[in-house]
Amino acid sequence: MNQIVRTSSCACGNVKCEGVGSPILCGVCYCNDCQAGGRQIESLNKAKPVRDPDGGTAYLTYRDDRFNCVSGADLLVGYKLKDNAPTQRFVASCCNTGMFIKYRPGHWVSAYRNRFEGELPPIEMRNQTRHRQSDLAIPQDAPSYSKFPLKLFGRLMTSRIEMLLGR
């Protein structure tokens, strides 16, 4: 069975990552941490945007066993909002391009959607819209949720079970 392999890369092409198969989710997050983390990355010298014009951060979320850095891993630098934060945002230090977020102890990686090449799956949900700070209208391309919806947790739980079963 052929699986889709999606490639993401930094702006200069020195760091490349791959996501294999269908992502757990293609979504946009407006939580305070995603907005602050986006601002943190975007404040780096010559950094590319990671947030959408309305402040949301679009991701393709993959299981850990279906996402990896295939070149330039030594150029990745992790940033945290606080020392004890469970999330770390990885940036290609060669060109200050935000690449992905790793949540510990989670079994997934959320890669910045705008770093991927080619045809991408559509946005499936927008979450944490209660923290949205934009005057722009919320795009109507997917359902919007004021918090993290149960559907999101269901997908994460299902993906963990599938991962444990080797599927």
Side-chain angles (χ1 to χ4, degrees):
M1 172 162 86
N2 291 337
Q3 291 212 27
I4 296 170
V5 177
R6 289 190 174 88
T7 304
S8 66
S9 62
C10 67
C12 71
N14 286 323
V15 177
K16 292 190 185 314
C17 298
E18 286 183 345
V20 178
S22 296
I24 298 168
L25 175 74
C26 183
V28 179
C29 187
Y30 296 92
C31 77
N32 289 329
D33 282 356
C34 284
Q35 291 181 76
R39 286 189 298 273
Q40 180 185 44
I41 292 170
E42 291 166 354
S43 73
L44 298 172
N45 185 41
K46 298 184 181 179
K48 300 292 179 194
V50 294
R51 294 174 302 150
D52 292 341
D54 73 343
T57 307
Y59 300 108
L60 291 182
T61 300
Y62 285 95
R63 294 173 7 183
D64 284 345
D65 64 341
R66 294 192 176 169
F67 183 87
N68 72 55
C69 184
V70 295
S71 66
D74 58 319
L75 297 170
L76 291 171
V77 175
Y79 290 87
K80 290 185 171 191
L81 293 175
K82 299 176 192 165
D83 289 340
N84 63 346
T87 54
Q88 192 167 14
R89 288 158 180 83
F90 287 89
V91 174
S93 61
C94 46
C95 56
N96 286 333
T97 302
M99 296 298 293
F100 60 88
I101 293 176
K102 178 61 189 141
Y103 173 76
R104 299 263 184 234
H107 66 278
W108 66 88
V109 172
S110 292
Y112 295 111
R113 188 175 194 269
N114 63 0
R115 301 309 326 148
F116 283 89
E117 304 161 0
E119 189 174 331
L120 300 175
I123 300 294
E124 298 173 271
M125 68 175 69
R126 294 175 178 277
N127 58 55
Q128 291 290 328
T129 57
R130 65 188 170 148
H131 298 292
R132 197 169 170 274
Q133 299 173 3
S134 176
D135 291 331
L136 297 173
I138 294 177
Q140 299 299 304
D141 55 352
S144 295
Y145 301 93
S146 65
K147 298 180 180 181
F148 289 117
L150 287 177
K151 181 193 309 188
L152 171 62
F153 294 110
R155 286 196 185 182
L156 291 172
M157 288 185 349
T158 299
S159 68
R160 182 64 176 154
I161 292 167
E162 289 173 348
M163 195 171 161
L164 292 171
L165 296 174
R167 294 188 202 161

